[in-house]
Amino acid sequence: MTDATVVSVNVVHELIVDPVGSIGRTAIDKRAVDGAVSIDEYGMHGDTVLDREFHGGPDKAVYAYAEEDLAWWAAELGRTLSPGTFGENLTTRGLDVTRAVIGERWQIGDTVIVEVADVRMPCVTFQAWMGEPRWVKRFTEHGAAGAYLRVLRGGPVEARQSITVVHRPDHGVTVGEVFAGRRADPARIRLLLDQAGLAVDLVRGLRKTLGLDSVVGR
């Protein structure tokens, strides 16, 4: 389907103090590394997740953000935003992550297969890291959330590898629609809820958007 490339693979540079989070430290400081990094169902080798209540695990193994969206924010904020600034593990080029369909699968290079599983929701730790006023609100209103990926087939990933969309579900509900929350079409959200194999946190969020009772299981 669509061909794109990996701009950079980013892992934690150092753990830093988080003045607002419940853990006290954060691994949001991701920076590009040279060479290949292996990934498996739990994410990038050499990376770290501290707040496991909201990050990490098979449904949020890898976070991808588009270089094009990063460039938009760099122009908007008037500052340089290097790959990894938003805490993403993969910075992509030529792939509209906001319009990626939930359940869409990408092949990276010759081996790795990942699946779009969930949407990044901005938090106060992200706001503190960026140091921008009203950052959570501004990030949300812009609508380019980035995507959390499941790793269906692990292997090495590195800069300049191709990314090919190899499967796109027929329901067509996108990352951007999910991120829009209550501004989204409720019928579209219900359509997504009818799909099997959704991430538990995603289902919980969708049900909250629709005002439904708590989800039980997947």
Side-chain angles (χ1 to χ4, degrees):
M1 291 181 182
T2 302
D3 289 325
T5 57
V6 175
V7 173
S8 67
V9 178
N10 317 303
V11 300
V12 64
H13 175 68
E14 64 176 337
L15 302 180
I16 60 174
V17 173
D18 180 3
V20 294
S22 59
I23 304 299
R25 295 190 301 166
T26 174
I28 198 171
D29 183 5
K30 313 287 189 192
R31 304 191 191 182
V33 295
D34 294 329
V37 177
S38 293
I39 66 172
D40 59 27
E41 63 177 322
Y42 294 106
M44 298 276 179
H45 292 192
D47 197 29
T48 303
V49 175
L50 295 182
D51 188 352
R52 295 184 179 274
E53 181 178 358
F54 299 105
H55 304 284
D59 292 334
K60 299 178 180 180
V62 175
Y63 176 47
Y65 202 79
E67 179 188 57
E68 294 83 354
D69 293 322
L70 204 61
W72 187 94
W73 275 115
E76 177 74 8
L77 300 175
R79 55 187 274 197
T80 299
L81 299 177
S82 302
T85 297
F86 283 6
E88 78 272 17
N89 301 112
L90 290 178
T91 309
T92 66
R93 178 184 296 146
L95 185 65
D96 191 337
V97 178
T98 302
R99 293 184 181 177
V101 173
I102 300 297
E104 183 174 298
R105 295 179 180 179
W106 308 341
Q107 179 170 324
I108 304 174
D110 297 327
T111 304
V112 172
I113 302 288
V114 296
E115 180 179 88
V116 176
D118 208 342
V119 176
R120 190 256 190 88
M121 295 297 174
C123 62
V124 291
T125 294
F126 187 24
Q127 180 161 291
W129 165 247
M130 291 299 297
E132 297 287 345
R134 301 182 300 107
W135 177 249
V136 168
K137 182 178 181 181
R138 294 163 70 187
F139 186 83
T140 301
E141 288 179 345
H142 178 56
Y148 280 119
L149 310 175
R150 287 180 183 142
V151 179
L152 303 184
R153 188 169 70 199
V157 293
E158 61 183 314
R160 296 179 295 279
Q161 280 183 321
S162 63
I163 306 173
T164 305
V165 179
V166 294
H167 171 70
R168 183 171 285 139
D170 292 336
H171 62 76
V173 181
T174 67
V175 165
E177 288 180 274
V178 172
F179 191 53
R182 296 189 184 280
R183 294 173 293 157
D185 180 352
R188 299 278 294 165
I189 299 302
R190 289 182 183 275
L191 178 64
L192 182 56
L193 270 175
D194 288 338
Q195 308 304 308
L198 296 177
V200 172
D201 285 350
L202 176 63
V203 172
R204 186 179 295 114
L206 295 175
R207 293 181 67 88
K208 182 178 180 181
T209 294
L210 295 173
L212 302 176
D213 55 357
S214 298
V215 64
V216 178
R218 181 179 290 187

